[in-house]
Amino acid sequence: MSAGFRILERTRKVNEQDVKNFAAIPVANISDSMARMSAAGARLRPLHRGGKLAGPALTVKSRPGDNLMVHKALDLAEPGDIVVVDAGGDLSNAIIGELMVAHAIQRGLGGIVIHGAVRDVDAIQSGSFPVFAAGVTHRGPYKDGPGEINVAIAIDGMVIAPGDLVVGDSDGLLCVAYEDVAAVYAAAKAKNDAEAAQMAAIRDGSTDRGWIDAALLRLGCEGGDQARIRHG
């Protein structure tokens, strides 16, 4: 087995119910439930027309500008899988385009994430198939390798292992480690429910804003005594 040019087997992945559960929660609330410590960087943006990305990761590490192993990953991926490609963040050459997206759709995949560039962006933007990428270029890819499939990758410091849960919406992309899925979901659902209650309070004018002045007092802000009197 040659490190750097190999295809490994994925030994576990999050189940369909986990995917459905997380798809119903905004990525921002999931992120808040993970101490706001995980992110794939602000450059990685959704390019499709709209809709949530959620599913188990099939990971690819490719040489920048080369998509040979991405083609193989599309053939190996199972329905609902998210093919997540670390192409080094390089924007010189597009890793996928309209034809590869069409192949992914035909195979029933859940989406594609490219830490790199894509092309045929008009076609991608007109469709609902989830595609996240760091940029766009008309220059096409090479197909010489090397690369790896089903290895741990990192995008802007966010580690993604094969089978981890990947979620994305207009706020960006997030990975939830396989072993953390249950705990993170419980916290994220509680956060989501709390925000729904808070939104209802805002709409009916009953929200409590006293926490702001309490924080100013605690932090020693000048004028905090006046805040205490108003909300005392």
Side-chain angles (χ1 to χ4, degrees), residues 20-100:
K20 290 180 179 178
N21 288 343
F22 276 88
I25 300 178
V27 168
N29 286 348
I30 302 170
S31 177
D32 283 355
S33 302
M34 298 173 68
R36 301 166 182 165
M37 288 291 289
S38 184
R43 286 202 310 162
L44 208 57
R45 304 301 304 153
L47 297 181
H48 54 293
R49 187 173 62 230
K52 190 74 168 283
L53 175 147
L58 190 150
T59 59
V60 183
K61 187 174 181 62
S62 70
R63 179 170 65 86
D66 191 284
N67 74 355
L68 175 63
M69 298 300 271
V70 182
H71 275 282
K72 183 61 178 178
L74 293 181
D75 290 344
L76 291 175
E78 300 172 345
D81 279 351
I82 310 298
V83 173
V84 185
V85 182
D86 175 15
D90 181 77
L91 305 182
S92 300
N93 298 83
I95 299 299
I96 66 165
E98 181 180 10
L99 294 177
M100 293 178 75

Side-chain angles (χ1 to χ4, degrees), residues 180-203:
D180 293 336
V181 162
V184 171
Y185 174 68
K189 186 177 186 306
K191 169 72 174 175
N192 204 53
D193 292 346
E195 284 207 353
Q198 185 178 3
M199 181 62 76
I202 290 171
R203 287 172 175 161

Side-chain angles (χ1 to χ4, degrees), residues 159-214:
V159 176
I160 306 170
D164 283 353
L165 176 70
V166 178
V167 291
D169 61 19
S170 296
D171 286 335
L173 191 83
L174 182 64
C175 175
V176 182
Y178 176 87
E179 58 271 18
D180 293 336
V181 162
V184 171
Y185 174 68
K189 186 177 186 306
K191 169 72 174 175
N192 204 53
D193 292 346
E195 284 207 353
Q198 185 178 3
M199 181 62 76
I202 290 171
R203 287 172 175 161
D204 67 21
S206 65
T207 184
D208 180 6
R209 304 287 288 171
W211 68 268
I212 300 171
D213 290 340

